[in-house]
Short mmCIF file of all heavy atoms in Angstrom, two decimals:
data_model
loop_
_atom_site.label_atom_id
_atom_site.label_comp_id
_atom_site.label_asym_id
_atom_site.label_seq_id
_atom_site.Cartn_x
_atom_site.Cartn_y
_atom_site.Cartn_z
N ARG L 81 81.86 -11.72 0.45
CA ARG L 81 82.19 -11.93 1.86
C ARG L 81 81.98 -13.33 2.30
O ARG L 81 81.04 -14.02 1.91
CB ARG L 81 81.30 -11.05 2.75
CG ARG L 81 81.35 -9.54 2.56
CD ARG L 81 82.79 -9.05 2.88
NE ARG L 81 83.72 -9.10 1.81
CZ ARG L 81 84.93 -8.83 1.82
NH1 ARG L 81 85.52 -8.43 2.94
NH2 ARG L 81 85.79 -8.97 0.80
N LYS L 82 82.96 -13.85 3.04
CA LYS L 82 82.93 -15.31 3.43
C LYS L 82 82.10 -15.49 4.69
O LYS L 82 82.03 -14.56 5.57
CB LYS L 82 84.36 -15.82 3.71
CG LYS L 82 85.19 -15.82 2.42
CD LYS L 82 86.55 -16.46 2.67
CE LYS L 82 87.41 -16.45 1.39
NZ LYS L 82 86.77 -17.11 0.32
N GLY L 83 81.40 -16.62 4.80
CA GLY L 83 80.64 -16.95 5.96
C GLY L 83 79.66 -18.04 5.62
O GLY L 83 79.59 -18.54 4.45
N VAL L 84 78.87 -18.55 6.57
CA VAL L 84 77.93 -19.56 6.34
C VAL L 84 76.74 -19.06 5.50
O VAL L 84 76.14 -17.99 5.82
CB VAL L 84 77.36 -20.06 7.70
CG1 VAL L 84 76.15 -20.97 7.48
CG2 VAL L 84 78.48 -20.75 8.48
N ASP L 113 79.30 -8.12 8.63
CA ASP L 113 79.97 -9.33 8.10
C ASP L 113 80.28 -10.37 9.18
O ASP L 113 79.85 -10.21 10.35
CB ASP L 113 81.27 -8.91 7.32
CG ASP L 113 82.27 -8.31 8.18
OD1 ASP L 113 82.26 -8.38 9.43
OD2 ASP L 113 83.28 -7.68 7.62
N ALA L 114 81.04 -11.40 8.80
CA ALA L 114 81.26 -12.47 9.76
C ALA L 114 82.09 -12.05 11.01
O ALA L 114 82.05 -12.71 12.00
CB ALA L 114 82.05 -13.63 9.10
N TRP L 115 82.84 -10.87 10.94
CA TRP L 115 83.55 -10.39 12.09
C TRP L 115 82.80 -9.21 12.77
O TRP L 115 83.37 -8.68 13.72
CB TRP L 115 84.93 -9.93 11.60
CG TRP L 115 85.84 -11.01 11.16
CD1 TRP L 115 85.66 -12.32 11.35
CD2 TRP L 115 87.02 -10.87 10.34
NE1 TRP L 115 86.68 -13.01 10.75
CE2 TRP L 115 87.56 -12.22 10.15
CE3 TRP L 115 87.70 -9.72 9.77
CZ2 TRP L 115 88.69 -12.38 9.38
CZ3 TRP L 115 88.84 -9.97 9.08
CH2 TRP L 115 89.38 -11.29 8.94
N GLY L 116 81.66 -8.88 12.31
CA GLY L 116 80.90 -7.87 13.03
C GLY L 116 81.02 -6.44 12.52
O GLY L 116 80.50 -5.50 13.04
N VAL L 130 89.44 -9.01 17.27
CA VAL L 130 89.06 -9.33 15.88
C VAL L 130 90.13 -8.69 14.97
O VAL L 130 90.67 -7.64 15.22
CB VAL L 130 87.66 -8.71 15.63
CG1 VAL L 130 87.66 -7.18 15.73
CG2 VAL L 130 87.07 -9.17 14.28
N PRO L 131 90.38 -9.30 13.83
CA PRO L 131 91.26 -8.68 12.83
C PRO L 131 90.68 -7.38 12.30
O PRO L 131 89.48 -7.12 12.41
CB PRO L 131 91.41 -9.74 11.73
CG PRO L 131 90.94 -11.07 12.34
CD PRO L 131 89.92 -10.68 13.40
N ILE L 161 75.11 -14.01 4.05
CA ILE L 161 75.82 -14.90 4.96
C ILE L 161 75.21 -14.64 6.37
O ILE L 161 74.64 -13.64 6.61
CB ILE L 161 77.33 -14.64 5.07
CG1 ILE L 161 77.62 -13.16 5.42
CG2 ILE L 161 77.98 -15.03 3.64
CD1 ILE L 161 79.06 -12.87 5.68
N PHE L 162 75.37 -15.57 7.26
CA PHE L 162 74.94 -15.46 8.63
C PHE L 162 75.66 -14.31 9.26
O PHE L 162 76.98 -14.17 9.05
CB PHE L 162 75.21 -16.68 9.44
CG PHE L 162 74.51 -16.73 10.75
CD1 PHE L 162 73.21 -17.31 10.85
CD2 PHE L 162 75.04 -16.26 11.88
CE1 PHE L 162 72.49 -17.36 12.05
CE2 PHE L 162 74.38 -16.27 13.10
CZ PHE L 162 73.10 -16.86 13.21
N VAL L 209 77.10 -21.77 14.01
CA VAL L 209 77.81 -20.99 13.02
C VAL L 209 79.15 -20.44 13.57
O VAL L 209 80.19 -20.47 12.88
CB VAL L 209 76.90 -19.81 12.53
CG1 VAL L 209 77.70 -18.83 11.68
CG2 VAL L 209 75.76 -20.38 11.73
N TYR L 210 79.13 -19.88 14.77
CA TYR L 210 80.32 -19.24 15.26
C TYR L 210 81.39 -20.17 15.67
O TYR L 210 82.52 -19.69 16.02
CB TYR L 210 79.89 -18.33 16.46
CG TYR L 210 79.01 -17.13 16.08
CD1 TYR L 210 78.30 -16.46 17.02
CD2 TYR L 210 78.97 -16.67 14.77
CE1 TYR L 210 77.55 -15.35 16.67
CE2 TYR L 210 78.21 -15.65 14.38
CZ TYR L 210 77.47 -14.94 15.33
OH TYR L 210 76.68 -13.92 14.99
N ALA L 211 81.14 -21.43 15.60
CA ALA L 211 82.24 -22.41 15.81
C ALA L 211 83.01 -22.72 14.51
O ALA L 211 83.97 -23.44 14.52
CB ALA L 211 81.60 -23.77 16.26
N LYS L 212 82.65 -22.02 13.44
CA LYS L 212 83.30 -22.18 12.11
C LYS L 212 84.05 -20.94 11.72
O LYS L 212 83.69 -19.84 12.13
CB LYS L 212 82.31 -22.56 11.08
CG LYS L 212 81.52 -23.89 11.25
CD LYS L 212 80.64 -24.19 10.18
CE LYS L 212 80.11 -25.63 10.22
NZ LYS L 212 81.20 -26.60 9.96
N ALA L 213 85.11 -21.16 10.87
CA ALA L 213 85.83 -20.08 10.27
C ALA L 213 84.90 -19.44 9.20
O ALA L 213 84.11 -20.10 8.60
CB ALA L 213 87.13 -20.56 9.62
N PRO L 214 84.98 -18.11 8.99
CA PRO L 214 85.89 -17.10 9.60
C PRO L 214 85.39 -16.52 10.92
O PRO L 214 86.05 -15.69 11.52
CB PRO L 214 86.00 -16.04 8.52
CG PRO L 214 84.62 -16.04 7.93
CD PRO L 214 84.25 -17.54 7.92
N TYR L 215 84.27 -16.98 11.38
CA TYR L 215 83.67 -16.45 12.59
C TYR L 215 84.52 -16.64 13.84
O TYR L 215 84.60 -15.83 14.72
CB TYR L 215 82.26 -17.01 12.86
CG TYR L 215 81.27 -16.82 11.76
CD1 TYR L 215 81.17 -17.78 10.70
CD2 TYR L 215 80.48 -15.72 11.70
CE1 TYR L 215 80.27 -17.58 9.68
CE2 TYR L 215 79.57 -15.50 10.67
CZ TYR L 215 79.45 -16.46 9.63
OH TYR L 215 78.60 -16.27 8.64
N THR L 216 85.30 -17.76 13.85
CA THR L 216 86.16 -18.08 15.00
C THR L 216 87.28 -17.02 15.25
O THR L 216 87.87 -17.01 16.29
CB THR L 216 86.77 -19.47 14.82
OG1 THR L 216 87.34 -19.55 13.47
CG2 THR L 216 85.70 -20.57 14.96
N GLU L 217 87.53 -16.26 14.21
CA GLU L 217 88.57 -15.22 14.34
C GLU L 217 88.08 -14.06 15.18
O GLU L 217 88.94 -13.12 15.52
CB GLU L 217 89.06 -14.78 12.96
CG GLU L 217 89.69 -15.93 12.20
CD GLU L 217 90.29 -15.48 10.82
OE1 GLU L 217 91.13 -14.61 10.72
OE2 GLU L 217 89.71 -15.96 9.86
N HIS L 218 86.88 -13.95 15.44
CA HIS L 218 86.32 -12.86 16.32
C HIS L 218 86.11 -13.47 17.64
O HIS L 218 85.24 -14.25 17.87
CB HIS L 218 85.03 -12.29 15.72
CG HIS L 218 84.51 -11.13 16.44
ND1 HIS L 218 83.31 -10.52 16.17
CD2 HIS L 218 85.04 -10.38 17.43
CE1 HIS L 218 83.11 -9.50 16.99
NE2 HIS L 218 84.16 -9.38 17.72
N ARG L 219 86.97 -13.08 18.59
CA ARG L 219 86.97 -13.68 19.95
C ARG L 219 86.39 -12.67 20.99
O ARG L 219 86.58 -11.48 20.85
CB ARG L 219 88.38 -14.12 20.38
CG ARG L 219 88.94 -15.16 19.50
CD ARG L 219 90.42 -15.52 19.91
NE ARG L 219 90.97 -16.53 19.18
CZ ARG L 219 91.63 -16.39 18.03
NH1 ARG L 219 91.72 -15.18 17.54
NH2 ARG L 219 92.07 -17.44 17.32
#
Side-chain angles (χ1 to χ4, degrees):
R81 297 299 83 185
K82 295 186 182 301
V84 170
D113 65 15
W115 292 344
V130 64
I161 61 171
F162 194 92
V209 169
Y210 292 161
K212 293 184 171 293
Y215 301 91
T216 50
E217 297 180 64
H218 188 184
R219 298 178 177 86

